[in-house]
Amino acid sequence: MSNLNELYSSHRTGIQSKKTSNDPRSEFQRDFDRIIFSTGFRRLQNKTQVFPLPGSVFVHNRLTHSLEVSSVGRSLGTLIGNYIVENHSSDLNEASKHFYAYDLNNVIASACLAHDIGNPAFGHSGEDAVVAFFEKNEGELKPHFSEKEWSDLVCFEGNANAIRLLTHQQNGKSAGGLLLTYSTLSSIAKYPCEAIARDKKYVHRKKFGFFQSQKEIFLQIAEKTNMRQESEEPTVFRRHPFVWLVEAADDICYNIMDMEDAHRLGIISHTDCKELMYTLALDLQIGDRQRMDAQLDKIQDKNNRISYLRSKIIGAFTQRAQELFQSSFQDIVSGNHDKCLFDEIVKESKALQTIISFSIENIYNNRNVVEIENAGYHVIYELLQHFIPPILKKEDTLRKSDKKALRLIPMQFRYVDKSPYEKTLGILDYISGMTDNYATELYKRIKGIETGMHI
């Protein structure tokens, strides 16, 4: 089993030596606050979670989803931290006892806050558009890049982009990105391998976790948090133990919150939603059935009734995730675990399996959802088509229209004297950071769909 004293580090990106601080917050509490006040996090408020942002009816966006995931993650971090202190105290030094008792929850909460920060506008359809753009233009674009660089682009992934956004120094900005601790960053790395090592047969390699531009810093993160290396070439690590908690918190939230949103929007009926969630609550053996029935009878508002069931279910999911983590503790800490905690919960619950199937058919394939996915894909693809070819041209071959396109790119994303790979990542930084509204408005303006002054 890995040394529990070596799984965390308060070292930060971009900072060579630690300085004495009078800040009353721990290093890991400061991570949470840095993320909360960051521009990238604020932009999540206008990035689609599942449903088009409908105005007066509240549904989740990426920001509210991340806050809720962080809340569940904090609970899991507290429960597991207490478990480690109570059951493995003899393996811990004094600093580690304090960390697991008081700061593991801050690390997990911070990582949960930032887990979606690299996702482009329009969710997975935005990711798909990036991948499709490079695949469809392979003949023209691929010669500019090495094999590993090209793999980054044709496998573009929000998880890897999160590591870049959180650690990359943009033009004119501070080194080290948000200057987060290595502990928080390692907890986000669901797929700790480079793109060329992707393999869907393995849970830790289904996607990839860092671009070539971030490989050096990722290796530092892995070293400082004692991640187990599986392969040097290609570079592959086993998941850090904390990742399983962040992933579980995310899975717990979106699998049930999307049902609540669909109900609130009238996409699914109250009868269907209540029946599905009530059956799941019973399947999870939540407390006293008579007490739950009595409480539901007291609640007249339909949305509140669903919210009550949702809260009971999330509590049960959290408890079960804790139990599964603890039962697999040796394998998880040693880097040998290979099953997502929530997948295990799904296998145990027929009612949850029914909800997932129902959601795929009636929520994720709802016309409104599919329309926004189609629109988002088109918007992101066309923005890439507008900016990528000009950024890769030599100065003396630029047309006037190319120069005009380049003038629209903010200076912080223009890497004039860098390699084609870095120039391209600059454009991806710019486009992936856009909100749904900004991307749509820019698309309309450059396509001539909307004209006039914008101040």
Side-chain angles (χ1 to χ4, degrees):
M1 185 174 74
S2 292
N3 189 335
L4 293 170
N5 299 304
E6 297 175 355
L7 292 179
Y8 64 96
S9 170
S10 60
H11 283 84
R12 297 184 178 279
T13 57
I15 298 177
Q16 299 302 316
S17 59
K18 297 178 69 174
K19 298 179 180 179
T20 304
S21 172
N22 294 323
D23 197 315
R25 301 168 297 169
S26 74
E27 295 291 339
F28 309 105
Q29 288 173 318
R30 291 169 65 189
D31 276 0
F32 187 91
D33 295 345
R34 284 170 187 259
I35 296 165
I36 282 282
F37 285 95
S38 70
T39 301
F41 183 74
R42 290 198 302 273
R43 285 178 180 153
L44 294 177
Q45 70 181 311
N46 199 359
K47 288 191 176 185
T48 300
Q49 174 66 15
V50 173
F51 301 104
L53 305 176
S56 60
V57 179
F58 171 78
V59 294
H60 290 85
N61 52 44
R62 289 280 175 184
L63 187 144
T64 50
H65 166 71
S66 297
L67 288 169
E68 289 170 348
V69 173
S70 183
S71 178
V72 173
R74 187 180 296 280
S75 296
L76 281 171
T78 299
L79 292 167
I80 297 303
N82 290 338
Y83 165 80
I84 291 172
V85 172
E86 291 169 5
N87 293 274
H88 298 276
S89 181
S90 60
D91 298 324
L92 304 177
N93 58 36
E94 288 305 312
S96 294
K97 289 177 183 178
H98 185 277
F99 170 79
Y100 288 108
Y102 301 109
D103 267 324
L104 177 59
N105 57 3
N106 290 315
V107 170
I108 305 304
S110 298
C112 288
L113 269 189
H115 82 284
D116 271 351
I117 207 165
N119 285 26
F122 305 106
H124 293 302
S125 61
E127 288 179 324
D128 292 343
V130 177
V131 171
F133 172 78
F134 288 103
E135 288 180 338
K136 291 180 180 179
N137 294 279
E138 179 177 348
E140 175 188 354
L141 300 177
K142 190 174 181 180
H144 293 280
F145 309 100
S146 71
E147 181 183 3
K148 288 188 175 183
E149 290 171 349
W150 181 249
S151 188
D152 283 355
L153 302 175
V154 294
C155 303
F156 180 84
E157 163 58 34
N159 290 278
N161 199 42
I163 295 293
R164 177 172 170 85
L165 188 151
L166 294 169
T167 63
H168 176 63
Q169 180 180 9
Q170 295 176 347
N171 283 338
K173 298 200 174 183
S174 300
L178 282 190
L179 310 180
L180 300 180
T181 65
Y182 290 163
S183 293
T184 293
L185 293 167
S186 64
S187 302
I188 297 170
K190 288 174 66 175
Y191 311 105
C193 65
E194 53 190 338
I196 202 168
R198 291 165 69 251
D199 189 333
K200 291 188 177 181
K201 291 184 295 185
Y202 306 101
V203 67
H204 64 299
R205 292 168 61 185
K206 286 184 178 180
K207 300 178 183 179
F208 75 105
F210 55 89
F211 295 121
Q212 291 302 304
S213 58
Q214 269 59 56
K215 184 172 180 176
E216 182 179 344
I217 184 61
F218 192 87
L219 291 173
Q220 294 174 25
I221 293 166
E223 179 187 1
K224 290 291 187 181
T225 58
N226 203 26
M227 292 172 66
R228 184 182 132 201
Q229 188 158 20
E230 182 178 291
S231 167
E232 288 188 20
E233 185 54 49
T235 301
V236 181
F237 289 88
R238 302 293 292 189
R239 281 183 167 185
H240 190 281
F242 301 166
V243 168
W244 300 99
L245 299 176
V246 176
E247 180 182 59
D250 185 25
D251 290 343
I252 285 169
C253 286
Y254 83 75
N255 274 281
I256 201 68
M257 291 300 186
D258 294 346
M259 283 283 292
E260 186 174 7
D261 279 352
H263 171 265
R264 191 175 291 272
L265 289 169
I267 290 173
I268 60 176
S269 70
H270 178 69
T271 300
D272 284 344
C273 188
K274 180 177 178 293
E275 182 62 28
L276 287 164
M277 293 178 72
Y278 182 79
T279 303
L280 176 57
L282 295 181
D283 199 34
L284 295 171
Q285 300 179 344
I286 297 174
D288 187 323
R289 177 174 179 174
Q290 288 186 331
R291 173 183 280 182
M292 185 170 70
D293 289 343
Q295 185 63 29
L296 284 170
D297 288 339
K298 293 178 184 177
I299 303 172
Q300 300 302 311
D301 183 84
K302 292 181 178 180
N303 288 330
N304 282 355
R305 197 175 295 143
I306 298 303
S307 295
Y308 171 75
L309 288 171
R310 178 258 299 155
S311 68
K312 303 292 284 185
I313 290 167
I314 286 182
F317 280 162
T318 302
Q319 180 180 341
R320 187 61 186 136
Q322 172 201 1
E323 293 167 354
L324 289 167
F325 188 96
Q326 291 173 187
S327 65
S328 300
F329 184 75
Q330 300 295 335
D331 283 343
I332 287 174
V333 174
S334 299
N336 295 321
H337 193 66
D338 62 356
K339 296 177 182 177
C340 298
L341 300 180
F342 195 79
D343 287 351
E344 293 298 293
I345 297 174
V346 173
K347 287 180 181 179
E348 297 170 350
S349 173
K350 293 285 187 182
L352 181 53
Q353 294 167 27
T354 299
I355 281 182
I356 291 172
S357 297
F358 179 89
S359 297
I360 292 171
E361 179 63 31
N362 298 281
I363 298 176
Y364 304 128
N365 283 306
N366 175 267
R367 183 178 181 86
N368 289 298
V369 174
V370 174
E371 282 179 350
I372 196 65
E373 287 176 344
N374 276 273
Y377 176 95
H378 188 68
V379 166
I380 298 300
Y381 189 98
E382 291 298 322
L383 290 176
L384 291 167
Q385 184 64 60
H386 192 73
F387 293 119
I388 295 289
I391 204 71
L392 293 175
K393 288 183 179 180
K394 294 181 179 179
E395 185 70 28
D396 59 359
T397 66
L398 290 172
R399 300 191 197 93
K400 193 171 184 178
S401 59
D402 294 328
K403 294 179 181 179
K404 294 292 185 183
L406 295 178
R407 288 185 68 84
L408 293 177
I409 303 168
M411 288 306 299
Q412 70 203 68
F413 302 111
R414 290 187 64 183
Y415 303 115
V416 179
D417 298 322
K418 300 290 186 178
S419 68
Y421 175 66
E422 287 288 356
K423 289 179 180 179
T424 301
L425 288 182
I427 300 301
L428 291 177
D429 291 343
Y430 176 43
I431 293 177
S432 67
M434 293 178 181
T435 63
D436 293 13
N437 284 353
Y438 183 87
T440 302
E441 289 170 3
L442 181 59
Y443 165 80
K444 288 179 180 178
R445 294 200 293 271
I446 65 176
K447 288 293 180 181
I449 299 169
E450 183 179 293
T451 60
M453 290 287 290
H454 292 268
I455 301 176

